[in-house]
Amino acid sequence: PAFNLADAFQWLGYGMVVVSLLREGNQLWPTENERKQVWVLPRFQIRLISVILAIGSAFVIISGVYAYTYIKVTIRDLVPGPSELVQQKFLVPFLETFFVVSVGFLLLLFIIARVLSHRMAGPIYAFELFLEDVLRGKDRPLRLRAGDDFQHLEELSERVRSRLRDNFHSNDETTPPLSVTKK
């Protein structure tokens, strides 16, 4: 692989972005809006990440085999006589670079899949906790984070709360299904 100053500064910039996200990420994602668990629904998240990584790995293998074969055949066709030395000179660095780029790609794919799975699993987990609280008689709203999927669950949970309160007031029961408290 070729090296130049522009590439070095570009990778330095990437590193600075990652470091600043790790150090100052709480400004983008406030602490009160942070889920404390890394794996909210581990079986679901691991299964989703595995599927995404399998697709990414298949892409890496297919593109690697294609590129390697293309380079090998091109060198064989362009170089007169025995081409093993030329192939060695070009194919080994290609394979090393391709391996490093592929590992980086799969690592990035893992991180993206983990974040996406958390944004999907988090609202489902929060909704499950909300329903458990409702069944225990606790009246509370469901609040999801801004970047989460399934935002419609907030509206659905509010309809459930409203329906339970209406049923309680219309039935005039002595024990409320929800302890209605104003906040």
Side-chain angles (χ1 to χ4, degrees), residues 1-20 97-108 111:
F3 172 81
N4 63 41
L5 199 55
D7 288 338
F9 281 119
Q10 183 178 7
W11 282 102
L12 180 66
Y14 294 152
M16 290 171 63
V17 167
V18 169
V19 168
S20 65
T97 305
F98 188 80
F99 177 77
V100 169
V101 169
S102 297
V103 168
F105 171 71
L106 291 174
L107 180 63
L108 180 66
I111 292 169

Side-chain angles (χ1 to χ4, degrees), residues 33 35 115-116 118-124 126 143-152 154:
N33 205 13
R35 286 202 181 90
V115 168
L116 289 176
H118 200 268
R119 288 186 177 183
M120 284 187 259
I124 295 169
R143 297 287 179 241
L144 300 177
R145 299 180 314 174
D148 282 342
D149 291 333
F150 308 115
Q151 290 290 323
H152 67 281
E154 281 186 354

Side-chain angles (χ1 to χ4, degrees), residues 164 167-169 171-179:
L164 287 173
N167 284 345
F168 166 69
H169 292 300
N171 291 338
D172 194 37
E173 296 177 6
T174 55
T175 345
L178 290 175
S179 56

Side-chain angles (χ1 to χ4, degrees), residues 54-74:
I55 293 169
S57 297
F59 173 75
V60 164
I61 291 169
I62 291 168
S63 62
V65 168
Y66 174 76
Y68 177 82
T69 305
Y70 179 79
I71 292 171
K72 190 170 183 166
V73 168
T74 302

Side-chain angles (χ1 to χ4, degrees), residues 122-147:
I124 295 169
Y125 179 71
F127 192 69
E128 287 174 354
L129 292 179
F130 165 78
L131 290 177
E132 287 176 8
D133 284 349
V134 166
L135 291 173
R136 278 188 246 129
K138 182 179 177 185
D139 184 27
R140 70 167 180 89
L142 172 68
R143 297 287 179 241
L144 300 177
R145 299 180 314 174

